[in-house]
Each structure stands twice: as C-alpha cells, then as structure tokens.
Amino acid sequence: MCGRFAQAQTREAYLSQLAEELARDIPYDPEPIGRYNIAPGTKVLLLNEREEQLHLDPVHWGYAPGWWDKAPLINARVETAASSRMFKPLWQHGRAIVFADGWFEWKKDGDKKQPYFIYRQDGKPLFFAAIGSTPFERGDENEGFLIVTAAADKGLIDIHDRRPLVLKPEAALAWMSQDIGGKEAEEIAKDGAVPAGDFSWHPVTRSVGNIRNQGAELIAPLEE
C-alpha cells in the first residue's frame, strides 16, 4: 500500500539523480515543491516520456475508468498489473515515475495506529514506478495514475506487507522509455528495484493523518 508520501525537494534535486544531461521539456524552477503529506485525489508532479523527451505534468492521483463503479484506485500490484484487464493498457503505454523523499505507513500500536516515515538510508530521492492513462498533460480528473506496489520483505514487512516499487535511477529512466515494451518493463520492475535493505524508517507524529498538515515536521523522528 502507498497512500501518503512526501515530495518536497526542488525539481532539479530529483532530476539530477537520474542523469546529468536529460532530453527534457521541463522549465527550471528553483522553488522546493514543499509537499510533505501528499494524499490520493490530488494532482502530483509525474515524470513521463513523450516524443523522446521527459515531461513533468501535474496528474490526478487515482484511476477510475468510465466503466468502473467503485472508488478510484490508487495502487496497482506489480505481480498482476501487466496482465490485468484494467491495468494492462496502462502498463504497456502509460509508465511514469513519481519523485518522492519517502512514504508513510501506519502500524497498529495497541488501540491506535502509529505512522512511520520510510526513506532511503543514504538520503537519496526515491523514484516510484507509476502507470496511468495518457496523455498525461490533459490532467484528467478521473483517469489519472496509480503507484505500482510490490510485496514488502525483510524489516519492512513489520510495518506493512506492501510497499511502493522504488526503482534505481537507471531503471527509472528505462521504465519510462517509449521504446520499452510490456514484457521488458516486467524485467525492469524485477531487476531494477531498490532492495528492502536500503531503507530506514522511524515513527512520526500522528498529525500526518490530517491531509491539511503539510510541514517538514511531519517527517521528523518522533521525540521520545
């Protein structure tokens, strides 16, 4: 499950981790994005490739095609997305990347749930694999995007049994490539994932439960 995450650095801070020189049509913006508590149903900056250039578009987080009569979905399982009726077209033609600094999960603690912030031990940005309905630049409110999830392992499973599929920088670039087919994308998802052992986590304030709260204090370790 991935239902909340932080995307707070500048665009350049994320892009510079992918490659020094990228073919892109993305305006320079020195201001930090500054979103520490991104929730579904909002527009999120989504990195994607079209016409052999990278673009960064504000895209609705949630996917509900016209025939879907339930609440919008926000995640797609990597184990089944490539072959499912709903997600196969997105997997084939709508692969993208979401920048992040980390994500939140809640673990039951007595009669309450304690939120945790999960991030890379080395402090580097995260690149979530995503799939969505193209063209992304239209900003469709219904057919937006989903974050791809994988089974948690090692210590992460103590927090939650699912986690976002976080790709290494070179895998993230390949994932977005329009020259890569669905089968090749399955291999990228398998071989290009950041291993669970590269992540750390700490408890954070329960204030993150309120989506109106957006400050940097939400990702700070909870004081004993």
Side-chain angles (χ1 to χ4, degrees), residues 66-135:
W67 54 268
W68 184 253
D69 60 359
K70 301 177 184 178
L73 299 174
I74 63 170
N75 294 149
R77 289 175 173 256
V78 69
E79 298 90 343
T80 58
S83 58
S84 76
R85 173 194 173 194
M86 177 178 279
F87 299 141
K88 184 176 181 179
L90 311 186
W91 183 278
Q92 292 279 359
H93 306 294
R95 296 185 307 273
I97 289 293
V98 177
F99 302 142
D101 304 307
W103 75 95
F104 298 96
E105 294 290 2
W106 279 256
K107 180 181 179 182
K108 193 169 183 180
D109 182 11
D111 60 349
K112 297 182 179 180
K113 287 188 176 181
Q114 174 60 53
Y116 286 79
F117 186 63
I118 306 168
Y119 51 95
R120 285 189 61 142
Q121 291 179 358
D122 58 14
K124 291 182 178 179
L126 280 59
F127 302 106
F128 294 163
I131 55 175
S133 179
T134 57

Side-chain angles (χ1 to χ4, degrees), residues 115-192:
Y116 286 79
F117 186 63
I118 306 168
Y119 51 95
R120 285 189 61 142
Q121 291 179 358
D122 58 14
K124 291 182 178 179
L126 280 59
F127 302 106
F128 294 163
I131 55 175
S133 179
T134 57
F136 292 121
E137 65 266 32
R138 72 186 174 188
D140 195 301
E141 288 292 335
N142 294 313
E143 298 189 19
F145 78 92
L146 311 99
I147 291 174
V148 179
T149 66
D153 55 358
K154 298 188 177 179
L156 278 174
I157 202 167
D158 292 336
I159 307 298
H160 199 280
D161 62 350
R162 304 291 298 177
R163 66 181 179 100
L165 175 61
V166 181
L167 296 176
K168 300 171 186 175
E170 60 273 17
L173 286 172
W175 171 263
M176 291 182 290
S177 174
Q178 295 174 314
D179 296 329
I180 296 293
K183 283 293 184 183
E184 293 170 290
E186 290 184 60
E187 292 301 314
I188 293 169
K190 178 182 176 182
D191 300 331

Side-chain angles (χ1 to χ4, degrees), residues 7-20 22 24-35 43-47 50 54-59 97-101 125-127:
Q7 189 186 78
Q9 300 183 54
T10 65
R11 299 176 181 191
E12 292 301 318
Y14 300 113
L15 291 167
S16 66
Q17 295 296 315
L18 290 173
E20 288 299 323
L22 294 171
R24 51 178 165 159
D25 184 11
I26 301 172
Y28 175 75
D29 188 344
E31 288 298 315
I33 297 168
R35 299 182 69 187
K43 287 194 173 181
V44 180
L45 289 176
L46 192 70
L47 188 67
R50 55 182 184 269
L54 293 180
H55 297 258
L56 196 59
D57 299 299
V59 183
I97 289 293
V98 177
F99 302 142
D101 304 307
L126 280 59
F127 302 106

